[in-house]
Amino acid sequence: MEIDRHLIKELRNIISQARSLVVRHVNSLQVVSNYLIGQRIVEFEQGGAERAEYGKSLLKCLSTELTAEFGRGYSHRNLDLMKKFYLIYKIAGISQTSSAKLLPVESADGVSSDVIMISQTLSAKFKLSWSHYVFLMTVGDQKGRSFYEIEAINGDWSLKELRRQCNSSLYERLALSRDKDGVQKLACEGQIVTKPEDNLKDPYVLEFLGLSEKSKYSENDLETAIIDKLEDFLLELGKGFLFEARQKRFTFDDDHYFVDLVFYNRLLRCYTLIDLKIGELTHQDLGQMQMYVNYFDRYVKLDDEKPTIGIIICNKNKKSLVEITLPKDANIHASEYQLYLPSKEELKKQMDEVQAEWEDRHGHDES
């Protein structure tokens, strides 16, 4: 008897999704358990001078006992992380009565109703895996940590993706183009894309391409490397981008023109054209992109779609050249790229400078 391939495909899908749900459930329970363990240890250590003194050797003793009974996962370091996790993510309303006094009222399966209620509350709060939270705890800036947590949840980022976005200073690069209120909103709500500027970065960080700053490479080499690492480039590009074409050709007045990379953004509902330049930005580059954008707006985009965006990613940007060459309402932007991870300290310094300039201008506008 020949097996129906469609049936096999459906069954595989059911099994895969079920396994995925099991993994998510296990991860959620681990995070909840670690939070409650951390909370209970902190509460115990805060129970007076005698306990505080005892606390110096507490984690070592607890590690020995718990490892003997429950196996790996309860090392001195892990218990210390659980404490830190509770202290960083402490939730109002889940107080000392939660982990220390999970008493009596039990359901038929022997699980305290308090435990069920607390687990549900914490599961709704902590939607990432324990490994995600261990990494997030290394982010010293509270606003940045909040931003990365929100984005990891909304984007369903793997731990690898979270590490990469944090190491590439995504929060700092997005914050550079925002005023004080915008930075606060970024930390509280994550990246909300409603206009082209919400997705723009300067610089774009392309360390994943494996190209060296010192080596000689052409624009074609850069383009090929991006196509080879398209998934990583889409992550760096921002939210909502779908890849459409490389070297997209169009003909005008019997001349052929080629756009390096064409994307469509489903959130903004518009085309995004990208031109790659390994040298310094010139006014000819801006004029060429203006022509590309005009062509797409007039002959490609649908009536109900938003205007086309043009982005020139170059080795060296000239903001003053962009300002003098393009009209203020031009939907064309130029950003630098770099082939190495940026310095968080330098970006933080730039953020402080931009915020100071904005506040100075804002103050003058009000006076």
Side-chain angles (χ1 to χ4, degrees), residues 281-304:
L281 183 71
T282 68
H283 69 277
Q284 290 93 338
D285 297 330
L286 295 167
Q288 177 178 264
M289 179 56 80
Q290 181 72 73
M291 188 264 287
Y292 291 168
V293 166
N294 290 346
Y295 181 87
F296 266 72
D297 278 345
R298 295 172 191 177
Y299 301 108
V300 180
K301 88 173 187 68
L302 301 177
D303 291 340
D304 62 340

Side-chain angles (χ1 to χ4, degrees), residues 298-366:
R298 295 172 191 177
Y299 301 108
V300 180
K301 88 173 187 68
L302 301 177
D303 291 340
D304 62 340
E305 291 178 325
K306 299 292 178 62
T308 304
I309 302 166
I311 302 176
I312 302 172
I313 300 180
C314 53
N315 192 251
K316 188 173 182 180
N317 189 12
K318 286 186 173 181
K319 294 183 180 180
S320 57
L321 181 66
V322 175
E323 291 176 3
I324 197 67
T325 303
L326 299 174
K328 290 184 178 180
D329 59 349
N331 221 4
I332 295 171
H333 310 271
S335 294
E336 292 184 3
Y337 71 89
Q338 60 186 49
L339 300 174
Y340 55 90
L341 293 174
S343 163
K344 288 185 181 291
E345 292 74 19
E346 184 59 32
L347 284 173
K348 181 65 168 62
K349 181 181 176 182
Q350 290 180 41
M351 279 176 58
D352 293 340
E353 291 173 353
V354 169
Q355 292 298 310
E357 289 177 10
W358 180 85
E359 288 177 3
D360 186 53
R361 289 199 309 270
H362 190 68
H364 288 161
D365 292 341
E366 289 181 343

